[in-house]
Amino acid sequence: MKYFSTRGDGQELSFEETVLTGLAPDGGLYIPVEIPKLPEDWRRSWAELTFQELSLEVLSLYISPSEISRDELRELVDNSYKSFRHPDVAPLKKLSDELFVLELFHGPTFAFKDVALQLLGNLFEFFLLRRNARKKAGEPRERLTVVGATSGDTGSAAIYGLRNKADISIFILHPKGRVSPIQEAQMTTVTDYNVHNVAVKGTFDDCQDIVKALFADREFNATHRLGAINSINWARILAQTVYYFLSFFHAQRQLPAPPPGTAEPQLQYVVPTGNFGDILAGYYAARMGLPGARLAVATNANDILARFWRSGRYEKTESGPALEGTEGKGAAAPAGGASDGKQAGAGGVKETLSPAMDILVSSNFERLLWYLSFEASGSSNRKAACAAVAGWISKVKTDGKVEVPTSVLELARRDFVAERISDEQTAETIRSFYKSSPSYIADPHTAVGLAAARLIAPQNLPSTVQIVLSTAHPAKFSEAVASALQSEPSFDFARDVLPAEFKGLLEKERRVIDVEAADINLVKEVIESVAQKRREGEGEGEGALSV
């Protein structure tokens, strides 16, 4: 299996090259030359497999055994998920016969991103160790400088996946003061020698733009050998496809058998969506052959994706009429002033109760646009699809918006449905599911998904069963959850929500580098300073810095 850029730079890379490169030199994202189909007997032969066993089967479809042998891949997978707190890795919780929650927060940092980043960290280390083992005496070792941006959960998950890894330095940019206290503490209290937290005065989109610009700087990239941990890295999308298959089989076990002569239930995945990586994994699973209803995109007030499905315009700020029924909802100020992560304040990003989704532009949406363009043009001209995507993304950068052809929008609507959820709806959903039977405490991102599922359900066939992806533990967004449930006398946050692992976290020693402006040159200075100290034998630096 080879991989190429959505913008068509002409190169085809191996899986190893794709993982280590991250972002293509032309700014595009890597996708496989073809999407493999599932084995004919997959529903029988995979039905009883564990998450780890399913990972081996799914990943093997995309990774040649000449690159990673089956035994090596099995060991990588087993090592990646041994620290998860639940034996299923991603357990499926039944709330009713029509609604399930897929809990993806049982990894070391209590967020769905652990599923991909534990594997990605091990892949980075595996490839570097193998490359360095082949070097002759005296040859310099290959190193990787991993750079990523986070609105909260990616940073801690990446850090826990890469801490203390040989020949790897990791720099995580987060918007200063705009992530939740728990999220910030999870990142900055990791003081391993190779971990560097960079607090940038700006928004998440500023941080993400800096990361993309660093990768586009060929000289800087070549000097420091940059690696990507954001969901622009193909390995993250691939790892996340697995829990769609796992939940499919687990749902089959829990659902009642359909009456004779009736169709089996159709599963619909409802995904809280910011950067579009999590739901894109579901799209790949569907393209491989996983049956299901249309995938459901659930956004908060930062609704660039919901607006695209309504109008066909992918635009940073709305230029047409507001979504029907949402006028005045999802305002910048969150309900009760209880936002944990504050991405608002610049560039049109609204501050919400679900801050990990407070994103203006969804990076992974480019991958979907490529497939839509390719299919709309007859699935015969890869270069034409690359050119179309490159043109669309360029217009978004220069004009802030692009409108796709009707044929592309119709294909998008065939495969997806989208809903926008306000803060008021989010808080009410947290309350209503807490008071339901069985009682369920949802974090605000999961609540966005649950609220969207309610709105979408009447559009579905009667046999449809919804699975909402639960992307984070509610303790990671304590203010939003506590505020929503403050009127419930039976609720006790410390007793009902707070994990033992979080107790005392806010008081631990921290290490962070402050960057006083969203300036790529200031971030370059940080990376170069750390690299210089390493070359001089001083380690990678300690303590708090400011540039």
Side-chain angles (χ1 to χ4, degrees), residues 444-463:
H445 304 81
T446 305
V448 167
L450 290 166
R454 281 177 169 170
L455 293 176
I456 293 166
Q459 307 170 34
N460 294 332
L461 295 172
S463 61

Side-chain angles (χ1 to χ4, degrees), residues 475-505:
K476 298 200 76 167
F477 301 94
S478 56
E479 289 184 39
V481 173
S483 175
L485 299 179
Q486 61 184 344
S487 62
E488 301 300 322
S490 62
F491 174 71
D492 184 291
F493 183 85
R495 180 196 65 209
D496 300 336
V497 177
L498 191 66
E501 292 89 341
F502 284 12
K503 293 175 181 177
L505 183 62

